[in-house]
Amino acid sequence: MTDPPTELLRCNPLFAGFPEPQLHRIMRFARRRTVHARQVLYAQGDACGEIFLLGAGAVKLTHDGAARRRKVLNFIEPGRLFGETALFSGHGHATSAEALEDSWVLAIQAAPLVRLLQSDPLAAWRALVHVARQCDDLLHQAACLGRYNARQRLAAFLLERSRADGATRTVHLPGRQVEIASLLALTPETLCREVTKMRAQGWIATRGDGVVEIRQPRALEAVLTPARPGERPARRVAPGDTAGTGPGRSKKKAAPKRRLEGPTGP
């Protein structure tokens, strides 16, 4: 029977190409650790003594910025590695890691892992590729936050985390509403308002166990599809609403625009 921590290591993209002898060598300086909900695995600024692979549960990564304002940067799902950027930067952890629920992790000692990477150019190259992909993911996330509005951010979040469950796609929310709002750079009130709108339109359904069912994934995808230059987004017609669509229907004359009073910009 395969040992779960060993299989977890083998399936991770960073270690997937390692030969078996190297995997067994890594397992000699790794250990399975149980963490409880709200337990901190490392704090921002801590030296990197270990990196972690999440076996089960959920972990959030946060960053304390100006005036100690805490920002959620990511939710870690099972199978994901975290804390590894500090392994290469030498500046300590740039984030804090906290368990959102009872979880278990594979804690890998940093110093022996560094020595292994230094002695094996191919392993070091895999680590470089892994870190580069992490940077790409962060750049993509930053770009989305910069160009997406509130509805688009929520739609992208739901689609990226959705899993096929029969004919329906489901999302297991990894944190509380306030934490998800922080990740999406929204206020909790704005997030709640957008969820309510999507639910009213029949796009999603929410359950009390922290699960969102995506009923109309194409509607969410359409939210992320930019209109062509000069093209106005198509009007959404509610079921049974045929106003303005039948033959012989006359279009209502648009009311004249009111001129804004007051000074105008250059």
Side-chain angles (χ1 to χ4, degrees), residues 178-239:
V178 65
E179 293 165 333
I180 296 172
S182 177
L183 175 69
L184 301 179
L186 302 173
T187 64
E189 294 78 13
T190 299
L191 176 61
C192 182
R193 185 164 55 248
E194 292 301 329
V195 169
T196 300
K197 289 178 181 178
M198 288 186 179
R199 191 168 51 210
Q201 290 173 305
W203 295 0
I204 64 173
T206 55
R207 298 189 340 214
D209 55 354
V211 173
V212 175
E213 296 180 354
I214 300 180
R215 301 281 179 83
Q216 298 185 37
R218 290 186 179 180
L220 297 183
E221 292 167 358
V223 169
L224 301 177
T225 304
R228 298 172 186 171
E231 180 183 26
R232 299 181 65 180
R235 175 178 177 265
R236 293 189 179 92
V237 181

Side-chain angles (χ1 to χ4, degrees), residues 121-197:
L122 183 57
W125 174 256
R126 291 194 186 98
L128 180 62
V129 170
H130 173 80
V131 172
R133 287 173 177 168
Q134 293 286 82
C135 291
D136 283 345
D137 289 343
L138 289 175
L139 288 173
H140 173 72
Q141 181 179 340
C144 289
L145 290 178
R147 71 175 185 266
Y148 284 173
N149 59 31
R151 172 163 289 200
Q152 290 172 319
R153 294 178 195 179
L154 177 57
F157 173 80
L158 293 174
L159 289 172
E160 287 172 2
R161 293 186 171 269
S162 65
R163 300 289 183 271
D165 185 10
T168 306
R169 299 188 68 84
T170 60
V171 182
H172 293 265
L173 298 180
R176 298 172 298 171
Q177 178 177 297
V178 65
E179 293 165 333
I180 296 172
S182 177
L183 175 69
L184 301 179
L186 302 173
T187 64
E189 294 78 13
T190 299
L191 176 61
C192 182
R193 185 164 55 248
E194 292 301 329
V195 169
T196 300
K197 289 178 181 178

